[in-house]
Amino acid sequence: MSRTEALFRDEPYLKSAEAAVLGINDRGGIILDRTVFYATSGGQPGDTGVLTRADGTAVTIAATVTGHTKDEIIHVPAAGAALPEPGERVLLEIDWERRHRLMRMHTACHLLSAICPFPITGASVGEDDSRIDFDLPETGFTKESVTENLMELVDADHPVFTRWISEADLAANPGLVKSKNVRPPSGAGRIRLVCIGEDASIDSQPCGGTHVARTGEIGAIHIGKIEKKGRENRRFRIRFGPLPAG
């Protein structure tokens, strides 16, 4: 198994980097020694972009996924792309506009989970529309009230940062895990927390995704729908822009 250094974990604003090709897997996926491309995980889609070879040939990357572990990052080329050779040096460039929208949206999802402190049964982050499903029997929440609370947190421009804790720390604080069915990967010895607010006063939860540095960067956001998805499941849809009138 090849381990790829995930530059995005500590530097989510890094748009490009140079890397060496470690190999091409049996499905044509490109494996590098380091990458700025986020791989699909935790409801956040993987990055798209371009690898440029030394001769100037561009290899379009249509998707980025993980292999057997989160440390095996596979860059999936578009159909028909000329694949680089192992040992080649390539320039990596992500589709930054798309990634930044996903970073803003993913951070907004964390804010929603702080406003609605219920077990999460599912989540999906999108460029324009995201959803979080909560284990919530009946709700007094409205689109208007949740949107107002979200925008208060956005406008307060709280800092967003990461810190690492041990697996023992997580075991001693099980409330940090908001997902009802998915546990953070264990065995690595440490867990990455994404924190919002001074001293994590707004939120703190395990997450391997990419996020903006301050909540103000999210911009206008609103709840488009609150849907009933079963007896004890409510789906909240988050969308960019102000809440439409009416």
Side-chain angles (χ1 to χ4, degrees):
M1 186 205 78
S2 302
R3 181 186 176 93
T4 301
E5 182 186 357
L7 300 174
F8 54 80
R9 283 197 189 126
D10 294 320
E11 299 183 81
Y13 287 85
L14 196 59
K15 303 170 189 176
S16 64
E18 287 190 354
V21 178
L22 293 178
I24 309 295
N25 70 11
D26 55 3
R27 295 187 177 183
I30 302 165
I31 300 170
L32 307 169
D33 66 339
R34 62 206 294 258
T35 189
V36 291
F37 282 71
Y38 179 81
T40 300
S41 180
Q44 180 177 332
D47 283 323
T48 58
V50 175
L51 307 186
T52 304
R53 302 172 68 182
D55 65 1
T57 303
V59 181
T60 299
I61 300 301
T64 311
V65 298
T66 54
H68 297 297
T69 74
K70 295 288 177 72
D71 290 321
E72 187 179 9
I73 297 175
I74 301 165
H75 305 76
V76 181
L83 300 181
E85 298 289 335
E88 269 192 53
R89 301 287 301 176
V90 290
L91 175 66
L92 325 180
E93 294 177 279
I94 59 172
D95 179 341
W96 171 248
E97 185 175 331
R98 175 178 178 272
R99 156 75 86 76
H100 192 237
R101 287 181 73 84
L102 290 169
M103 286 167 61
R104 290 164 57 207
M105 191 64 95
H106 197 157
T107 311
C109 288
H110 281 245
L111 293 183
L112 178 58
S113 73
I115 292 167
C116 302
F118 304 97
I120 295 171
T121 56
S124 178
V125 181
E127 296 170 62
D128 300 300
D129 183 291
S130 297
R131 65 169 173 83
I132 300 184
D133 298 344
F134 293 101
D135 184 355
L136 177 59
E138 288 300 330
T139 175
F141 293 106
T142 64
K143 292 187 299 182
E144 292 77 13
S145 65
V146 177
T147 296
E148 182 178 350
N149 290 335
L150 277 173
M151 286 310 303
E152 283 178 3
L153 293 175
V154 169
D155 292 338
D157 199 27
H158 293 289
V160 182
F161 59 97
T162 59
R163 63 186 180 94
W164 294 87
I165 62 170
S166 69
E167 291 181 6
D169 290 334
L170 183 65
N173 296 277
L176 289 172
V177 180
K178 299 193 176 186
S179 175
K180 186 174 182 179
N181 306 313
V182 181
R183 303 292 299 178
S186 60
R190 62 179 194 158
I191 303 291
R192 180 182 188 256
L193 292 184
V194 172
C195 307
I196 302 177
E198 297 293 340
D199 298 321
S201 58
I202 304 300
D203 189 50
S204 180
Q205 60 181 293
C207 184
T210 59
H211 309 81
V212 291
R214 303 192 67 88
T215 60
E217 202 172 328
I218 295 170
I221 207 94
H222 69 276
I223 297 299
K225 282 184 184 176
I226 301 176
E227 304 168 281
K228 186 173 182 177
K229 291 289 182 180
R231 190 167 57 87
E232 295 186 349
N233 203 46
R234 296 294 181 276
R235 175 168 293 176
F236 288 62
R237 291 199 170 275
I238 309 176
R239 294 169 183 159
F240 282 125
L243 184 68

